[in-house]
């Protein structure tokens, strides 16, 4: 597995490296730390010896040292500088070129419990990336392996790509998988009927997941409800080492991300990292080139 990590030499970049490391611990993952510069930035060579370095070259070399120093022992990583029109475009280009299985970025946030407000670069990724995007909350520094994956299964059928990614990740990580259906009672015409439908759908997905995961792999289902999606999220218990997976909006183009209204609500309340999976995404295993 190969991850593209959006790196900048600041707290947000450190958040991204930490989350990528935690996700990659159990999967023999290679991290590509990508530092994006403007399209018209002069070419720089980071491996020159015995030649004077420009201010930009010194800056990038310092960023490389800082970024790679954040990667825990046992994980392979490389540092890349890419020219692009935007941070998001550079990360998407890198993910396509490297055939990466995930883009990991730090997301700006305010308030308690490391909750998010998505910055412009992360927002652009959530509307255009062809691979899953993982968002690290502000201040995320955990690099130990993931302890549980939670998949938002909604109230109705669909989001098969997210289900596939969650099942494959749970198996590779060796982590328990929790299926959660979130019900916003104020938005339901009949609250009892909506909750019942959510239970039925969650248990249907649970039964199918049990058939696909190895014997003995822990998988469970829950329905969380509240007057708002935020209340439903608050009603759930969360592990420190947990990650939530959601599918992109049905409005998304095929194989592209588009984060919908419900996912935005979840993101505002979520105390753990989130991974958003493009519609119809098909995962491929990749390895770095020599």
């Amino acid at each position: 597995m190969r991850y593209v990590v959006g790196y900048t030499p600041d707290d947000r970049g450190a958040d991204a490296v930490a989350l990528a490391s935690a996700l990659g611990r159990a999967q023999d993952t290679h991290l590509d730390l990508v530092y994006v510069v403007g399209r018209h930035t002069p070419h720089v060579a980071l491996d020159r010896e015995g030649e004077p370095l420009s201010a930009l070259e010194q800056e990038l070399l310092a960023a490389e040292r800082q970024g790679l120093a954040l990667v825990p022992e046992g994980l392979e990583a490389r540092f890349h500088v890419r020219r692009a029109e935007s941070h998001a475009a550079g990360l998407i280009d890198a993910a396509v070129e490297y055939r990466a299985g995930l883009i990991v970025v730090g997301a700006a946030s305010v308030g308690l419990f490391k909750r998010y407000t998505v910055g412009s670069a992360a927002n652009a990724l959530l509307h255009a990336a062809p691979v899953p995007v993982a968002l690290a909350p502000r201040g995320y520094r955990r690099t130990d392996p993931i302890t549980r994956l939670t998949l938002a299964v909604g109230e109705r059928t669909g989001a098969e790509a997210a289900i596939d990614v969650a099942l494959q990740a749970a198996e590779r990580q060796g982590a328990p998988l929790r299926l959660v259906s979130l019900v916003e009672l104020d938005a339901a015409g009949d609250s009892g009927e909506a909750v019942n439908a959510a239970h039925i759908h969650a248990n249907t997905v649970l039964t199918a997941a049990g058939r696909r995961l190895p014997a003995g792999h822990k998988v469970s289902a829950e329905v969380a409800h509240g007057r708002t999606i935020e209340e439903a999220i608050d009603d759930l218990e969360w592990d420190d080492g947990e990650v939530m997976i959601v599918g992109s909006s049905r409005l998304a183009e095929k194989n592209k991300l588009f984060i919908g209204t419900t996912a935005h609500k979840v993101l505002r309340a979520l105390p753990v990292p989130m991974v958003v999976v493009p519609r119809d995404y098909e995962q491929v295993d990749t390895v770095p080139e020599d």
Side-chain angles (χ1 to χ4, degrees):
M1 184 61 66
R2 193 169 182 178
Y3 294 167
V4 162
V5 184
Y7 183 72
T8 47
D10 54 19
D11 288 342
R12 194 177 303 182
D15 296 341
V17 175
L19 177 56
S21 300
L23 288 165
R25 284 282 203 174
Q27 303 185 69
D28 192 26
T29 300
H30 175 90
L31 306 185
D32 290 292
L33 275 58
V34 176
Y35 189 113
V36 180
V37 297
R39 176 68 70 185
H40 303 294
T41 300
H43 175 72
V44 294
L46 299 184
D47 56 355
R48 298 189 314 180
E49 294 183 3
E51 297 183 35
L53 298 177
S54 69
L56 176 60
E57 288 167 336
Q58 292 179 45
E59 175 187 329
L60 296 179
L61 280 170
E64 179 179 24
R65 288 193 295 269
Q66 292 172 26
L68 293 178
L70 295 171
V71 179
E73 186 176 350
L75 281 176
E76 294 186 359
R78 294 177 186 169
F79 184 86
H80 310 266
V81 177
R82 294 187 71 95
R83 293 192 189 92
E85 294 295 337
S86 68
H87 188 68
L91 297 181
I92 290 172
D93 289 346
V96 171
E97 179 179 334
Y98 305 151
R99 300 183 71 229
L102 187 69
I103 297 174
V104 187
V105 294
S109 71
V110 294
L112 300 175
F113 306 117
K114 302 185 179 71
R115 298 186 178 183
Y116 308 73
T117 56
V118 178
S120 58
N123 189 59
L125 282 172
L126 292 174
H127 284 76
V131 301
V133 172
L135 301 172
R138 182 179 179 180
Y140 190 88
R141 291 297 187 274
R142 178 188 171 88
T143 59
D144 291 335
I146 298 303
T147 57
R148 183 169 66 180
L149 295 169
T150 286
L151 170 66
V153 297
E155 301 174 48
R156 55 189 183 274
T157 58
E160 282 79 9
I163 293 171
D164 289 343
V165 167
L167 289 170
Q168 293 167 21
E171 184 173 359
R172 288 196 309 270
Q173 297 271 2
L177 175 62
R178 177 174 63 161
L179 311 173
V180 169
S181 189
L182 303 170
V183 182
E184 190 173 15
L185 297 180
D186 282 355
D190 185 327
S191 296
E193 184 176 335
V195 172
N196 186 54
H199 276 284
I200 292 172
H201 178 49
N203 281 290
T204 299
V205 178
L206 174 64
T207 300
R211 295 193 190 104
R212 293 176 57 181
L213 288 169
H217 195 112
K218 187 175 180 180
V219 57
S220 60
E222 294 183 37
V223 173
H225 51 76
R227 291 172 300 173
T228 64
I229 290 296
E230 291 86 348
E231 279 194 8
I233 289 289
D234 286 341
D235 191 47
L236 292 166
E237 293 184 1
W238 299 95
D239 290 346
D240 290 340
E242 190 152 8
V243 171
M244 187 171 196
I245 300 172
V246 302
S248 60
S249 169
R250 288 172 173 78
L251 298 176
E253 297 178 28
K254 185 175 182 179
N255 300 323
K256 291 290 182 70
L257 281 178
F258 182 86
I259 187 167
T261 303
T262 299
H264 266 296
K265 292 178 180 178
V266 170
L267 192 58
R268 285 200 301 266
L270 195 64
V272 300
M274 173 189 276
V275 176
V276 187
V277 180
R279 184 170 71 90
D280 300 326
Y281 173 71
E282 293 184 7
Q283 186 167 299
V284 295
D285 290 329
T286 60
V287 294
E289 295 178 359
D290 294 331

